[in-house]
Amino acid sequence: MIDVEERIDRLEEIVREFVLNVGIEFNKVYNSQMRTEAELRSFKDEMKEFKSEMKDFKDEMKDFKDEMKDFKGEIKEFKNETREANREMNRRWGELANKMGTMVEDLVAPSLPRIVQGMLGQEVADLSVRRKRRLQDGRTWEFDGIVVTAGGQVGLNSTKSTLRSADVDHFAKEVAAFRVFFPEYANYPVVGILASLTVEDSVLNYAERCGLIVLGVGDQVMEIKNRPGFSPKFW
């Protein structure tokens, strides 16, 4: 009988310990779950705040892009206005130089080295303006501009206040005379450079078909008027 009671007491003790341990583990699991739920809520709140900040950032970037677009438009408009003002100034300067008879010296000659180097790809070794030479038989000829490159080529310039088709035709005589009056350059390939304040499209087309470089007043005082793809002729 005593053994039975002891066993019952022992069983009751085991049951209490089991219930107690189960309760402890349940509390652990419950507390852990509560912490996880709290952490999830906190994470969701942080993500919500992050999304809100990202939306604000995107809105700010959109405003910034719009402002940059407006700024670029203003810069483009300013450049166009500056270019037009520069061209107008060069045109008036050209008209004044033409009236004073200094168009070659003031407008064309300073531009020739840049243009010749750009077209021929060679540095300029010598530049002569209004170069006049007299032959022993008394004949004289004056050339508006002569550019000699380091690679042994010549850019021969003829400048007119208004370029006409007759000036294009006359240039062949300029080349022939150049070889006579400057025999030291007789074997140098020659390219023709016609310069003028105003150039009509019909004359430009004719000059291009003849292989002549045509210059007119532009953004850089004198600029090339030939169309893209043009290649000068060598005489």
Side-chain angles (χ1 to χ4, degrees):
M1 189 71 178
I2 295 176
D3 291 337
V4 173
E5 290 180 356
E6 288 180 353
R7 290 179 180 178
I8 292 174
D9 293 339
R10 180 57 181 165
L11 180 61
E12 289 178 351
E13 184 179 351
I14 292 172
V15 170
R16 283 196 301 271
E17 289 180 358
F18 174 77
V19 171
L20 179 61
N21 291 332
V22 169
I24 292 173
E25 293 300 324
F26 176 79
N27 288 334
K28 288 181 179 179
V29 172
Y30 177 76
N31 291 335
S32 176
Q33 183 179 356
M34 292 299 292
R35 285 197 303 271
T36 302
E37 290 179 356
E39 290 172 355
L40 284 174
R41 284 195 299 271
S42 177
F43 177 73
K44 288 180 180 179
D45 292 340
E46 291 176 358
M47 287 300 298
K48 184 177 180 181
E49 183 178 354
F50 175 74
K51 288 181 179 179
S52 178
E53 292 176 354
M54 285 300 297
K55 183 177 181 303
D56 293 340
F57 176 73
K58 288 181 179 179
D59 293 339
E60 291 175 359
M61 285 300 297
K62 184 177 182 301
D63 293 340
F64 176 74
K65 288 181 179 179
D66 293 338
E67 291 174 0
M68 285 301 296
K69 185 178 179 181
D70 294 339
F71 178 72
K72 288 181 179 179
E74 293 173 358
I75 290 295
K76 183 178 179 181
E77 184 178 354
F78 174 74
K79 286 182 177 179
N80 291 335
E81 292 175 354
T82 302
R83 184 178 296 110
E84 290 300 324
N86 192 42
R87 286 182 177 179
E88 178 63 18
M89 181 187 68
N90 290 338
R91 185 184 65 81
R92 292 186 179 183
W93 182 19
E95 291 175 351
L96 178 61
N98 184 47
K99 290 179 181 179
M100 297 175 63
T102 59
M103 184 176 168
V104 175
E105 293 86 349
D106 292 345
L107 299 182
V108 180
S111 302
L112 285 177
R114 167 176 53 84
I115 290 169
V116 168
Q117 184 169 349
M119 289 296 294
L120 303 183
Q122 298 181 10
E123 294 185 1
V124 173
D126 184 60
L127 170 64
S128 301
V129 179
R130 295 198 184 279
R131 184 78 175 272
K132 181 184 289 187
R133 180 168 286 188
R134 180 185 178 91
L135 299 181
Q136 290 183 352
D137 58 10
R139 288 180 295 165
T140 61
W141 199 293
E142 182 179 89
F143 298 90
D144 292 334
I146 301 173
V147 180
V148 181
T149 71
Q153 295 179 345
V154 173
L156 189 60
N157 165 246
S158 178
T159 299
K160 306 294 181 183
S161 58
T162 300
L163 191 63
R164 298 179 174 86
S165 297
D167 300 317
V168 177
D169 294 331
H170 182 73
F171 189 78
K173 296 180 181 178
E174 291 265 352
V175 175
F178 174 75
R179 297 195 187 281
V180 172
F181 282 85
F182 291 89
E184 62 267 36
Y185 300 126
N187 296 324
Y188 282 38
V190 176
V191 293
I193 306 171
L194 298 179
S196 179
L197 289 179
T198 58
V199 182
E200 295 182 359
D201 288 341
S202 60
V203 179
L204 174 61
N205 292 335
Y206 181 45
E208 282 190 332
R209 289 198 300 271
C210 294
L212 298 175
I213 301 171
V214 179
L215 309 182
V217 176
D219 297 340
Q220 302 183 54
V221 186
M222 299 299 289
E223 66 181 12
I224 298 174
K225 295 298 183 181
N226 301 86
R227 269 65 69 96
F230 167 78
S231 295
K233 175 183 175 179
F234 288 88
W235 270 266

